[in-house]
Amino acid sequence: MTMIVRDFRTADAEAVAAARRSAFPYLVTTPRTVVWEAESAPAERQYRLLVAEEDGRVVGSSEIGIFYDSDQPGLAFANTTVSGDALGRGAGSALVTAAEEYLAGLGAAQVFAWTLDAPHAVTFAERRGYRRSRSSRIGRLDLTTAALPPLDRGAFPDGVELRTAADFADDPRPLYEADVECTEDEPGDVDAGRLPYAQWLALTWEHPALDRELTSVAVVDGTVAAYSVAHTDGHGRYWSGMTGTPRTFRGRGLAKLAKNDSLHRARAAGCRVAFTGNDGDNGPMLAINNWFGYEPAAVEWRYVRELAA
C-alpha cells in the first residue's frame, strides 16, 4: 500500500466530496462546493486543501488555514476527513502531520479541529495531543413526514412580512448588516472580527450551496428583522446555514417565523431531509429546533492543540 499526501487538484473534487459525506453525511457537500472553497478563499487565510491518496485513490482530505479575521493572532484550523472504508490505515495521521507542519511554518500557535463524537475520532484526536473544547449539536428533520407549524400570514404581527433572499438580489447589504451583527453574538471559541462587505459577498452571498429562493427573511417596516439561510445540494438535502435576529428585534418569535417559512419552502421545492447545527451553548436556537421537531443526529466536538514554537 502506498500513501501520499499532496495538494488538491480539481479532478479530486468528487472523491473529496464523497469522503466528506461518508464522515459527515448531514453536511451539504458537492464537488462544486469543494472546488469553490479551494478557489475562493481569501489570500489572508493561507488556505490549503490537502488530500491523502492511497494506491492512486483519494481517501481523505484536510482543509487548513489561518483565522486571519480573529482578534487573537496565531489561530489556525485543520479539519481532516477520511472516508469510512479507509479508516485505520494511516491516512488521517499523514494528513494531520502535514497540516500541522504547514501551519507551524506559518507561525500558528494553536490549531482547532472539528471531529465527530465517535470513539475512533475522539481517540485519534486525544492521542495526538488535542484537548476538547466546544460542542456542536446536529439535528435532523424528515421533511416528508414533519408536522411543520402552519403559516398563517393573516396572523403575522403588524408590519411583519416574509421575503426571500432572492428579493435582495439587487442590494443584499441589508442582509449583510443583519448577518454580521448576529454572527458577532454567536457563541464560539474563536472571536472573529467584522467581515468586510466585499468578503461577505464573496464568501456568503456567492456560496454555491446558498439557495436564495429558500432563504427566508422576516422584514419589519422595511427592515431585516430575522432570517434563516438555506443551503441545498440539489438532491433533497437541506442545511440551515444560519438563523438569526438582529438585537433590536429579539424576543418576538421572528427567527422561528423565518425558519418555519424556509422549511415550508424547502419541502415544497422537493427537499426531503433538513439538517441544522448549533453550538452546544446556544440555548435559544436549540429550543427552536426542538420546537420544530428536529431529532438528534450527531454531536461534533471542537478540539484544540498547542503547536510548538
Side-chain angles (χ1 to χ4, degrees):
M1 182 186 73
T2 302
M3 181 80 66
I4 64 171
V5 172
R6 59 169 174 79
D7 283 300
F8 167 80
R9 304 167 188 156
T10 302
D12 302 324
E14 179 60 56
V16 170
R20 288 184 184 176
R21 288 193 298 266
S22 173
F24 302 98
Y26 40 83
L27 296 180
V28 168
T29 305
T30 66
R32 184 184 176 201
T33 61
V34 172
V35 173
W36 177 85
E37 288 167 0
E39 294 181 347
S40 66
E44 303 94 323
R45 188 175 291 173
Q46 300 286 327
Y47 182 90
R48 286 180 73 188
L49 179 56
L50 301 176
V51 300
E53 184 180 296
E54 180 186 82
D55 293 337
R57 173 191 169 219
V58 171
V59 296
S61 66
S62 185
E63 52 176 352
I64 56 182
I66 300 294
F67 288 110
Y68 69 96
D69 52 353
S70 172
D71 296 332
Q72 182 179 346
L75 304 186
F77 62 89
N79 296 313
T80 301
T81 306
V82 176
S83 181
D85 62 359
L87 292 173
R89 298 207 293 267
S93 293
L95 284 165
V96 172
T97 297
E100 291 174 349
E101 288 176 353
Y102 171 69
L103 294 172
L106 295 178
Q110 289 183 317
V111 57
F112 291 81
W114 283 107
T115 188
L116 277 174
D117 186 20
H120 73 275
V122 169
T123 299
F124 177 85
E126 294 179 351
R127 281 180 177 172
R128 293 192 65 94
Y130 285 77
R131 56 181 171 81
R132 182 174 290 189
S133 180
R134 306 187 74 89
S135 68
S136 176
R137 310 287 168 165
I138 311 300
R140 182 185 188 277
L141 185 67
D142 186 340
L143 290 176
T144 65
T145 60
L148 294 177
L151 276 171
D152 184 358
R153 297 181 183 274
F156 289 179
D158 290 343
V160 176
E161 60 178 315
L162 287 174
R163 299 181 186 173
T164 70
D167 296 324
F168 293 82
D170 292 337
D171 179 19
R173 185 176 281 274
L175 292 178
Y176 161 75
E177 296 293 346
D179 192 37
V180 294
E181 179 179 318
C182 293
T183 300
E184 287 173 350
D185 293 343
E186 192 175 24
D189 46 17
V190 177
D191 293 328
R194 183 182 177 92
L195 194 67
Y197 182 54
Q199 288 193 6
W200 181 89
L201 287 174
L203 299 177
T204 301
W205 186 248
E206 299 298 338
H207 195 291
L210 175 64
D211 195 319
R212 298 179 188 175
E213 296 289 347
L214 305 188
T215 295
S216 296
V217 184
V219 176
V220 174
D221 297 329
T223 301
V224 173
Y227 62 96
S228 189
V229 175
H231 283 186
T232 58
D233 65 358
H235 300 287
R237 189 180 303 269
Y238 165 108
W239 171 266
S240 293
M242 173 73 170
T243 299
T245 307
R247 301 176 192 108
T248 302
F249 297 99
R250 291 174 188 169
R252 307 186 194 181
L254 297 177
K256 187 182 291 185
L257 176 64
K259 185 156 190 174
N260 193 24
D261 182 63
S262 182
L263 290 171
H264 275 277
R265 291 178 182 275
R267 181 155 65 186
C271 294
R272 299 185 299 275
V273 59
F275 292 95
T276 188
N278 297 108
D279 186 273
D281 292 334
N282 192 346
M285 276 311 306
L286 290 170
I288 287 176
N289 292 329
N290 288 337
W291 181 79
F292 276 113
Y294 279 86
E295 298 180 347
V299 174
E300 293 182 353
W301 287 99
R302 192 78 169 270
Y303 274 81
V304 59
R305 183 188 175 206
E306 314 295 325
L307 293 180

